[in-house]
């Protein structure tokens, strides 16, 4: 029996799953690493800490599989979008990995938005005008850290660095390249104007390849540690956004895929480049005839984590003593409050926001607090606020791609019945949850099978997804959410006038040592 490892390099952890070629799972592992935020705008990770996490995760799943009658034939990769690392001529990192959440290039994105060049770049590359994009991060390095910019021999993302370290091969597949803002989405080649604007040459960037590109060979030292043959295939895979969409079966145009992990996103595939006149959505080529249109959201599960840690410390400790899941406890607390949280609204912009605001200065807030409200209201409002934000992105997506035929969802949130029902009620749409919620790793495995000639149709991934659970919207609460949603949207517009001021205050006066 042969095996395939699907690995998903996320923002706060790396997940690895080992499958046989029939799609059965023989082992899972999840390895975390820190996000360095020394200032309000910094969000970096150590690329070697992430690399070590991939080694450890694969070593663990291979051990769990206890392979005696076959071998691992391929490793296929999913990874976070929009990361950037500077390498010297010997491929050693000159920087940590700047993640999508790093906002230090905000002033360059703001300048490009104001002078219109950002919209010109967006129409060619599909990258929204926001500091998440490596295009804007490169402008930051060129202007504010010229010593690093001048020394950099290569500019790569975290997936390219990891694969290079395992194999000595430097390649970048189309979907990941598209997320840099340096790729022309029509030609699927590096965009000459983008390179000119940043001062980067094509020689400093990896070779462009397809998502199903494969090559054989891993360095012997890592093969030995992980417990695999050194002739294993590396399959390039795609971005976590693309693979999460494929992994829930949202392959046809008009089928929405929603994922809530640390961050969140709403996405759909279209058959040709399609941009939003308001630049609220990205458009990235993934493979021939497949372009991913969507809106990424900074504030997904990480906001629930904040509420969990900051507002419910006592309950979390009690849950530990009782040996129950503390997040399940929070869901039960939230369920004691009616839909709409008795008029308490939460804007979840704790880390700035990408879609639909595209404002790195955005900040979170509770609105409507009165003496009746309790922490139970607050936790439900937090959960609802994340869903309101996702729905607002869906409204933008409808303008560009039309009414959705179906809504498929995945991610850790799907384990909460309350939260998933909340999505159905706010969206007023059936929400379909596949049994296999590790959609990114599953799709990475499937791309490996396509690369190896074992599959030839993306639609066939559905046979590996297991049974589906469908959440039906509750019409009894429609009026509550229909009343609150316009207030939420108007507040977002009204508060936007003050985001820059409060963000500047925090940059100047926040004590980062405390």
């Amino acid at each position: 029996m042969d095996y395939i490892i699907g690995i998903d390099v996320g923002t706060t952890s790396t997940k690895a799953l080992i499958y046989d070629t029939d799609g059965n799972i023989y082992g899972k592992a999840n390895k975390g690493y820190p996000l360095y935020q020394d200032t309000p705008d910094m969000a970096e990770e150590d690329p070697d800490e992430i690399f070590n996490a991939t080694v450890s995760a694969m070593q663990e799943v291979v051990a769990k599989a206890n392979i005696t009658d076959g071998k691992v034939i391929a490793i296929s990769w999913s990874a976070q979008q929009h990361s950037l690392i500077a390498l010297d001529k010997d491929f050693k990192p000159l920087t940590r990995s700047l993640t999508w959440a790093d906002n230090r290039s905000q002033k360059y994105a703001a300048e490009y938005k104001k002078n219109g060049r950002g919209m010109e770049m967006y129409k060619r590359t599909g990258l929204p005008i926001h500091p998440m994009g490596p295009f804007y991060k490169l402008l930051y390095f060129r202007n504010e850290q010229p010593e690093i910019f001048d020394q950099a021999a290569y500019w790569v993302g975290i997936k390219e660095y990891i694969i290079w370290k395992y194999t000595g091969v430097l390649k970048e597949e189309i979907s990941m390249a598209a997320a840099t803002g340096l790729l022309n989405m029509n030609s699927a080649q590096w965009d000459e104007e983008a390179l000119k604007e940043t001062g980067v040459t094509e020689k400093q960037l990896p070779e462009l390849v397809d998502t199903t590109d494969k090559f054989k060979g891993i360095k012997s030292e890592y093969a030995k540690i992980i417990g695999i043959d050194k002739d294993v295939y590396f399959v390039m895979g795609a971005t976590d956004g693309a693979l999460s969409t494929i992994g829930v079966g949202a392959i046809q145009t008009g089928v929405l895929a929603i994922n809530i992990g640390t961050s969140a996103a709403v996405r759909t595939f279209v058959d040709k480049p399609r941009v939003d006149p308001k630049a609220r959505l990205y458009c990235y080529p993934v493979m021939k005839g497949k372009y991913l249109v969507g809106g990424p959201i900074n504030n997904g599960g990480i906001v629930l984590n904040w509420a969990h840690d900051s507002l419910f410390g006592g309950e979390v400790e009690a849950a530990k003593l009782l040996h129950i899941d503390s997040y399940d406890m929070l869901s039960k607390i939230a369920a004691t409050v009616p839909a709409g949280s008795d008029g308490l609204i939460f804007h979840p912009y704790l880390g700035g926001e990408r879609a639909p605001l595209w404002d790195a200065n955005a900040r979170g807030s509770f609105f409507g607090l009165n003496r009746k409200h309790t922490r139970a209201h607050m936790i439900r409002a937090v959960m609802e606020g994340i869903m309101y934000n996702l729905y607002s992105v869906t409204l933008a997506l409808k303008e560009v791609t039309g009414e959705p035929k179906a809504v498929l969802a995945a991610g850790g949130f799907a384990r909460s019945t309350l939260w998933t029902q909340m999505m159905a009620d706010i969206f007023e749409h059936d929400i379909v949850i596949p049994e296999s919620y590790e959609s990114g790793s599953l799709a990475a495995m499937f791309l490996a099978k396509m690369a190896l000639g074992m599959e030839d149709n993306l639609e066939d991934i559905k046979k590996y997804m297991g049974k589906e659970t469908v959440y039906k919207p509750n019409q009894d609460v429609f009026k509550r959410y229909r009343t609150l949603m316009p207030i939420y949207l108007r507040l977002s517009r009204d508060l936007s006038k003050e985001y820059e001021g409060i963000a500047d205050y925090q940059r100047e006066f926040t004590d980062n040592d405390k």
Side-chain angles (χ1 to χ4, degrees):
M1 185 183 300
D2 290 329
Y3 300 83
I4 296 170
I5 295 175
I7 190 158
D8 186 0
V9 181
T11 306
T12 55
S13 67
T14 285
K15 299 174 186 176
L17 281 80
I18 188 166
Y19 302 83
D20 67 16
T21 52
D22 292 326
N24 300 305
I25 298 171
Y26 282 77
K28 301 179 183 180
N30 191 343
K31 303 297 179 181
Y33 28 80
L35 183 69
Y36 297 97
Q37 297 178 286
D38 303 340
T39 68
D41 289 324
M42 177 188 286
E44 295 184 341
E45 293 172 331
D46 185 320
D48 289 318
E49 288 178 345
I50 298 177
F51 176 80
N52 291 337
T54 68
V55 174
S56 179
M58 287 196 284
Q59 182 184 40
E60 183 174 326
V61 296
V62 169
K64 286 179 176 178
N66 191 26
I67 300 170
T68 58
D69 59 344
K71 66 178 183 177
V72 174
I73 58 173
I75 303 168
S76 186
W77 296 84
S78 168
Q80 56 178 283
Q81 303 175 117
H82 306 120
S83 61
L84 183 68
I85 308 167
L87 304 179
D88 69 13
K89 60 182 177 59
D90 298 316
F91 297 93
K92 293 179 179 177
L94 298 170
T95 65
R96 292 190 293 211
S97 177
L98 278 69
T99 70
W100 56 266
D102 193 288
N103 287 328
R104 283 173 291 176
S105 58
Q106 163 61 18
K107 72 178 185 180
Y108 301 101
E111 178 185 334
Y112 269 64
K113 182 178 289 187
K114 185 177 181 180
N115 64 27
R117 284 153 65 195
M119 179 58 79
E120 292 173 7
M121 296 300 300
Y122 169 68
K123 289 178 179 178
R124 287 204 312 278
T125 68
L127 175 75
I129 312 162
H130 187 272
M132 70 174 183
F135 174 84
Y136 295 104
K137 291 180 172 77
L138 287 166
L139 296 177
Y140 163 77
F141 276 111
R142 186 179 187 182
N143 289 281
E144 299 190 28
Q145 296 196 41
E147 67 288 351
I148 291 176
F149 187 86
D150 292 340
Q151 192 179 347
Y154 305 98
W155 295 97
V156 302
I158 187 61
K159 184 168 76 166
E160 296 76 60
Y161 176 72
I162 289 171
I163 291 176
W164 174 85
K165 194 161 182 178
Y166 275 120
T167 67
V169 175
L170 188 62
K171 294 184 176 185
E172 186 163 16
E173 46 78 19
I174 294 298
S175 71
M176 193 65 76
T180 66
L182 302 175
L183 188 86
N184 186 294
M185 65 179 168
N186 293 294
S187 68
Q189 299 296 319
W190 296 121
D191 186 83
E192 291 183 10
E193 187 62 27
L195 298 186
K196 181 180 177 181
E197 293 267 345
T198 57
V200 172
T201 67
E202 195 168 325
K203 291 181 179 179
Q204 292 177 283
L205 301 172
E207 174 192 355
L208 289 172
V209 296
D210 292 334
T211 52
T212 52
D213 185 78
K214 69 181 187 301
F215 56 93
K216 186 178 286 189
I218 183 174
K219 294 177 182 177
S220 298
E221 59 185 297
Y222 299 121
K224 184 176 181 180
I225 293 170
I226 295 168
I228 57 178
D229 289 353
K230 64 180 182 179
D231 64 349
V232 66
Y233 277 108
F234 272 67
V235 178
M236 291 301 296
T239 64
D240 54 0
L243 291 179
S244 293
T245 305
I246 294 169
V248 296
I251 295 159
Q252 295 181 353
T253 299
V255 178
L256 294 190
I258 299 177
N259 184 274
I260 304 178
T262 304
S263 55
V266 184
R267 313 177 184 97
T268 191
F269 278 115
V270 294
D271 57 5
K272 59 184 178 181
R274 196 173 299 180
V275 295
D276 173 25
K278 300 176 185 177
R280 293 166 298 178
L281 307 167
Y282 61 62
C283 180
Y284 299 152
V286 175
M287 54 181 61
K288 187 176 181 180
K290 293 290 181 186
Y291 294 80
L292 192 66
V293 176
I297 292 168
N298 288 4
N299 300 288
I302 196 170
V303 178
L304 188 63
N305 295 349
W306 165 80
H308 172 276
D309 297 343
S310 301
L311 303 179
F312 289 89
E315 288 79 1
V316 170
E317 290 304 314
K320 289 179 182 177
L321 292 173
L322 295 169
H323 302 290
I324 61 176
D325 186 278
S326 55
Y327 285 93
D328 288 344
M329 178 181 282
L330 291 196
S331 287
K332 291 176 181 177
I333 292 170
T336 65
V337 174
S341 304
D342 287 327
L344 182 61
I345 293 174
F346 178 70
H347 282 101
Y349 313 133
L350 302 190
E353 191 49 284
R354 292 182 289 173
L357 304 181
W358 296 106
D359 188 347
N361 290 321
R363 295 296 183 264
S365 60
F366 283 101
F367 178 80
L369 270 171
N370 62 39
R371 289 191 299 274
K372 181 182 178 180
H373 290 131
T374 66
R375 287 184 301 138
H377 289 86
M378 295 175 81
I379 190 60
R380 184 176 185 110
V382 166
M383 298 171 80
E384 288 176 335
I386 294 168
M387 287 301 166
Y388 294 154
N389 201 31
L390 280 164
Y391 184 64
S392 66
V393 177
T394 302
L395 293 176
L397 202 55
K398 285 181 182 180
E399 292 178 25
V400 176
T401 63
E403 286 289 331
K405 300 173 185 175
V407 180
L408 312 179
F413 94 101
R415 283 171 278 185
S416 167
T417 299
L418 174 70
W419 214 4
T420 312
Q421 184 62 49
M422 199 180 285
M423 177 183 283
D425 296 342
I426 290 170
F427 280 61
E428 297 187 14
H429 207 293
D430 288 1
I431 303 298
V432 180
I433 308 292
E435 183 178 9
S436 177
Y437 62 86
E438 297 291 4
S439 54
S441 299
L442 174 66
M445 178 276 291
F446 190 81
L447 279 195
K449 293 194 71 175
M450 290 185 71
L452 295 170
M454 299 177 180
E455 297 282 358
D456 58 10
N457 188 340
L458 273 182
E459 292 281 350
D460 289 338
I461 193 172
K462 294 175 183 178
K463 66 188 178 186
Y464 299 104
M465 290 167 48
K467 65 181 181 179
E468 296 176 339
T469 301
V470 181
Y471 288 79
K472 297 282 186 180
N474 177 8
Q475 294 186 22
D476 293 341
V477 301
F478 283 3
K479 184 177 180 181
R480 293 172 183 258
Y481 288 131
R482 287 176 183 175
T483 302
L484 289 173
M485 192 67 205
I487 299 172
Y488 177 94
L489 294 172
R490 287 196 300 270
L491 275 171
S492 294
R493 289 191 291 269
D494 292 343
L495 289 173
S496 66
K497 303 167 188 174
E498 305 300 336
Y499 286 148
E500 184 177 1
I502 197 65
D504 286 344
Y505 177 93
Q506 291 172 356
R507 293 183 186 107
E508 182 174 356
F509 294 107
T510 298
D511 187 344
N512 295 304
D513 294 328
K514 292 183 180 180

